[in-house]
Amino acid sequence: SLVWGNNHIFGHGDDSFQVTLSIGVAQVEDGDGEKAVRLADKNLYLAKELGRNRVVCGPGRVTAQLCTI
């Protein structure tokens, strides 16, 4: 699974902030762009539910897997 372990903090002191990244990926075989966006959106929210800094890919089902890159 792809999970970033390092957290980079930008800025200094009171002006600092941390960035996290969640990504949803989908692939469709029929060229249906709306379906691809819908599935990627579902995977994005699943990535957010699973924790920070994750990429989830798959068919958009609850059983979608964490991608390895």
Side-chain angles (χ1 to χ4, degrees), residues 6-53:
N6 59 343
N7 294 316
H8 188 80
I9 297 181
F10 296 89
H12 300 284
D14 291 338
D15 293 326
S16 65
F17 61 95
Q18 182 176 347
V19 176
T20 63
L21 180 67
S22 299
I23 299 174
V25 178
Q27 178 179 346
V28 294
E29 301 293 328
D30 58 8
D32 185 347
E34 288 182 19
K35 180 180 177 182
V37 171
R38 191 171 52 252
L39 294 175
D41 189 56
K42 286 182 181 180
N43 287 336
L44 168 62
Y45 284 97
L46 181 56
K48 290 181 176 200
E49 287 177 25
L50 293 173
R52 295 179 177 158
N53 297 325

